[in-house]
Structure formats: structure tokens, C-alpha cells
């Protein structure tokens, strides 16, 4: 099973930060948790059987709560937010594309 670290590391590939020098894990993890919360809002069925359980942020070593086929989507969300926030990786032209890919794929567009 994938961990949150696996998803953060996947995002690092597109961010060209494999050596973890520009963006720390906590910033990327925060974006990953935001992506998971948004995924649950857009697709409540992803929480089937656990609607009564509050959504809590995951730690870096926690199991990724969505299926493996959602790792790339969450990584795209992380990348989009990183491009929007971090001045070292800023590419504002890419922000809407990455975030739109996340939404479109969640909705099966």
C-alpha cells in the first residue's frame, strides 16, 4: 500500500526537487491533505462506508487513503499548488492546468 510519502515523492519528480532541497515535505504534505479533502467533496463516494468518520489530515508515513490510481491525481494537485505558492518553482501558467487535470480526472472527464 502506498504512503503519503510515496505521493509527495511522486510530485517531487515534476517539481524537479528529488533531492528535497527546495520544498520541504510538510508543505507538500499539506497540499496532499488538501487534495484528499477536495477529492472527498467532489466524490463523496470515495468515503463509502466511512461517512461518519471525520476527515483527518494524514502524516507523511500514513497510508494513502485513496486507491493507487489516485496517487497521480493527488500528485498533480500538489504540483499545481506548489507552482502557485513557491517562488522557486513558480510557473503560474501551469497552475490551472494541473488543478484542472485533478478535477477532470476525479470526475472522469
Amino acid at each position: 500500500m502506498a504512503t503519503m510519502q510515496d505521493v509527495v515523492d511522486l510530485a517531487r519528480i515534476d517539481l524537479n526537487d528529488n533531492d528535497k532541497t527546495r520544498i520541504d515535505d510538510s508543505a507538500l504534505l499539506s497540499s496532499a491533505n488538501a487534495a484528499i479533502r477536495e477529492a472527498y467533496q467532489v466524490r463523496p463516494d470515495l468515503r463509502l462506508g466511512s461517512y461518519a468518520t471525520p476527515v483527518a489530515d494524514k502524516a507523511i508515513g500514513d497510508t494513502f487513503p485513496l486507491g493507487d490510481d489516485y496517487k497521480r491525481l493527488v500528485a498533480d494537485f500538489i504540483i499545481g499548488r506548489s507552482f502557485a505558492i513557491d517562488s522557486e518553482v513558480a510557473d503560474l501558467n501551469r497552475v490551472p492546468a494541473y488543478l484542472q487535470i485533478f478535477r477532470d480526472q476525479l470526475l472522469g472527464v
Side-chain angles (χ1 to χ4, degrees), residues 43-60:
R43 294 272 317 274
D45 60 299
L46 294 174
R47 295 190 65 209
L48 192 61
S50 62
Y51 293 123
T53 306
V55 177
D57 282 350
K58 299 292 183 182
I60 199 75

Side-chain angles (χ1 to χ4, degrees), residues 1-105:
M1 298 194 80
T3 65
M4 296 299 285
Q5 182 73 63
D6 295 331
V7 176
V8 165
D9 290 344
L10 183 59
R12 283 188 187 286
I13 295 168
D14 286 14
L15 293 170
N16 294 317
D17 190 27
N18 292 331
D19 57 357
K20 302 181 180 187
T21 57
R22 294 190 321 206
I23 307 170
D24 61 38
D25 277 350
S26 64
L28 298 179
L29 179 63
S30 175
S31 292
N33 280 309
I36 292 165
R37 285 191 302 278
E38 184 156 340
Y40 287 153
Q41 286 180 345
V42 172
R43 294 272 317 274
D45 60 299
L46 294 174
R47 295 190 65 209
L48 192 61
S50 62
Y51 293 123
T53 306
V55 177
D57 282 350
K58 299 292 183 182
I60 199 75
D62 288 349
T63 301
F64 182 64
L66 304 174
D68 282 347
D69 47 338
Y70 291 93
K71 287 189 311 189
R72 180 76 248 174
L73 295 182
V74 172
D76 286 339
F77 186 94
I78 294 168
I79 294 161
R81 292 245 328 229
S82 296
F83 282 147
I85 295 169
D86 190 312
S87 61
E88 285 191 43
V89 296
D91 187 343
L92 297 180
N93 295 323
R94 290 182 171 186
V95 172
Y98 276 102
L99 298 179
Q100 191 62 48
I101 289 168
F102 172 77
R103 269 198 176 265
D104 287 351
Q105 291 297 314

